Amino acid sequence: DKVILVLNGVNINCSTGSGIYGVQSDKIIITLAAGTQNTISDGSSYTLESGTDEPNAAVFSKDDLTLNGTGTLTVSGNYQNGILSKDDLVIAGGTYIVTAVNDALRGRDSITITDGKFTINAGADGFQSNNDEDTEKGTVNISGGSFDITAGNDGIQAYTGLTISGGTFDI
């Protein structure tokens, strides 16, 4: 089923795993309530099940993940990544301040951004879509927003294709 979370002034921290961990759903939708400041962080080490390397982000979803709204979300990915979807990551509004040891925002199959304000500080890639198994996936599509990206590797990394049709960028 679809899971809808409305963040309305929350401060979520998990010292041993993801602050938000979507294990199985059709899609997770996170809405940032108007005028709110929300914070999600994880610890610098996780307690993982034997033989697994996931979750690995402060906000982690094994399925599609959509973020929207007009509030602010500050994410600290102290273990590896900030926000990660194993499928499609869609952002349609909001203000995001993401700091991550590895990648700030990652959508394995795709990243689609239509609006939002982003302040990104990543040890590796700012934005990454890395599906290398399907030639129609691994894409980043940006049609609007404001982006201030500081990254140790690529500001925006797409395995298959990158399309930018709008927005302002400082990378």
mmCIF file of all heavy atoms in Angstrom, residues 25 41 99 103 111 127:
data_model
loop_
_atom_site.group_PDB
_atom_site.id
_atom_site.type_symbol
_atom_site.label_atom_id
_atom_site.label_comp_id
_atom_site.label_asym_id
_atom_site.label_seq_id
_atom_site.Cartn_x
_atom_site.Cartn_y
_atom_site.Cartn_z
ATOM 1 N N SER A 25 6.516 -1.284 0.639
ATOM 2 C CA SER A 25 5.290 -0.547 0.353
ATOM 3 C C SER A 25 5.204 -0.341 -1.146
ATOM 4 O O SER A 25 6.161 -0.586 -1.879
ATOM 5 C CB SER A 25 5.298 0.809 1.069
ATOM 6 O OG SER A 25 6.338 1.616 0.559
ATOM 7 N N SER A 41 18.128 12.323 11.289
ATOM 8 C CA SER A 41 19.547 11.965 11.290
ATOM 9 C C SER A 41 19.717 10.513 11.717
ATOM 10 O O SER A 41 18.827 9.906 12.304
ATOM 11 C CB SER A 41 20.341 12.890 12.218
ATOM 12 O OG SER A 41 19.876 12.784 13.547
ATOM 13 N N THR A 99 23.286 16.848 4.442
ATOM 14 C CA THR A 99 24.714 16.594 4.621
ATOM 15 C C THR A 99 24.884 15.087 4.732
ATOM 16 O O THR A 99 24.153 14.437 5.494
ATOM 17 C CB THR A 99 25.236 17.277 5.900
ATOM 18 O OG1 THR A 99 24.969 18.677 5.807
ATOM 19 C CG2 THR A 99 26.728 17.046 6.071
ATOM 20 N N ASP A 103 26.657 9.783 -0.511
ATOM 21 C CA ASP A 103 25.783 10.529 -1.421
ATOM 22 C C ASP A 103 24.667 11.220 -0.640
ATOM 23 O O ASP A 103 24.103 10.638 0.291
ATOM 24 C CB ASP A 103 25.148 9.586 -2.451
ATOM 25 C CG ASP A 103 26.188 8.855 -3.289
ATOM 26 O OD1 ASP A 103 27.257 9.449 -3.565
ATOM 27 O OD2 ASP A 103 25.934 7.693 -3.662
ATOM 28 N N ILE A 111 15.821 9.807 -10.418
ATOM 29 C CA ILE A 111 15.535 10.973 -9.589
ATOM 30 C C ILE A 111 14.795 11.959 -10.478
ATOM 31 O O ILE A 111 15.269 12.284 -11.579
ATOM 32 C CB ILE A 111 16.809 11.638 -9.040
ATOM 33 C CG1 ILE A 111 17.586 10.687 -8.126
ATOM 34 C CG2 ILE A 111 16.461 12.935 -8.300
ATOM 35 C CD1 ILE A 111 18.933 11.241 -7.662
ATOM 36 N N PHE A 127 23.771 14.250 -6.066
ATOM 37 C CA PHE A 127 22.614 13.484 -6.521
ATOM 38 C C PHE A 127 23.149 12.313 -7.331
ATOM 39 O O PHE A 127 24.035 12.498 -8.165
ATOM 40 C CB PHE A 127 21.709 14.330 -7.430
ATOM 41 C CG PHE A 127 21.054 15.487 -6.734
ATOM 42 C CD1 PHE A 127 21.744 16.652 -6.497
ATOM 43 C CD2 PHE A 127 19.730 15.406 -6.335
ATOM 44 C CE1 PHE A 127 21.145 17.734 -5.863
ATOM 45 C CE2 PHE A 127 19.117 16.480 -5.695
ATOM 46 C CZ PHE A 127 19.827 17.644 -5.453
#
